[in-house]
Amino acid sequence: MALPGDSILASPGTKRSTRSDGQRPPAPASYPVRTEEDLLTVRHAVRAATVEVGFGLVDQTRVVTAASELARNAYVHGGGGTVTLEYPRDPRGRRGLRLIVKDEGPGIADLDVALTDGFTTGSGLGHGLGGARRLMDEFSVRTGPGEGTVVVATRWTVR
């Protein structure tokens, strides 16, 4: 789900398993990100959601890793926020898991630089935001100084 004015950055797709049981997708769920414990709660919720959608182990790990990076960024750089999980379906019948990570922090001053491998504002390796983008099929960011940041990232099953 791109936000108005956002571009979708696609990652190369890989074969993924799908669960086509015709069940209605779960309702969206939101999780606060205010403490270290909340980061663990998000990881567990995302892992359970990837199983629900029908991802194989490799794709489960990709999505959980991306969610962990994005939630940690919201916690560390955005002063906390929320992670919302949605379960979209596309016209071809693919199921997906969409992560919407929002914070009300200072925003990202230079998004292009922040997405560059090796860029870090701390002691990390600088693979967080760019790495999360590569792990997902669709990725958009809305941010600005004093506006906070909203990241929307989706991974799809293969039908």
Side-chain angles (χ1 to χ4, degrees):
M1 170 174 100
L3 299 168
D6 290 342
S7 60
I8 299 292
L9 306 171
S11 302
T14 57
K15 292 265 184 200
R16 293 180 290 283
S17 66
T18 184
R19 191 175 140 183
S20 57
D21 53 18
Q23 286 183 348
R24 182 179 211 152
S30 292
Y31 301 89
V33 179
R34 302 267 180 241
T35 66
E36 289 280 339
E37 291 78 21
D38 291 341
L39 297 174
L40 186 58
T41 299
V42 166
R43 283 182 61 88
H44 287 297
V46 171
R47 174 70 69 190
T50 62
V51 171
E52 175 66 31
V53 171
F55 288 118
L57 184 59
V58 171
D59 283 322
Q60 290 175 29
T61 302
R62 286 181 177 131
V63 176
V64 170
T65 300
S68 295
E69 292 292 341
L70 296 172
R72 180 162 291 285
N73 282 351
Y75 173 65
V76 171
H77 303 292
T82 59
V83 174
T84 300
L85 307 180
E86 294 182 347
Y87 301 85
R89 288 186 189 251
D90 75 1
R92 297 185 301 175
R94 293 186 306 172
R95 296 178 72 184
L97 181 60
R98 179 170 294 133
L99 312 171
I100 304 169
V101 183
K102 298 179 183 181
D103 70 52
E104 296 177 8
I108 301 171
D110 189 334
L111 183 58
D112 290 332
V113 171
L115 287 166
T116 303
D117 279 344
F119 173 78
T120 181
T121 58
S123 59
L125 297 175
H127 297 299
L129 199 56
R133 177 178 64 177
R134 283 189 302 279
L135 292 169
M136 303 298 281
D137 294 319
E138 297 172 2
F139 192 90
S140 65
V141 180
R142 184 180 68 205
T143 189
E147 296 178 11
T149 300
V150 179
V151 177
V152 179
T154 306
R155 184 99 182 156
W156 295 99
T157 60
V158 171
R159 187 149 176 100

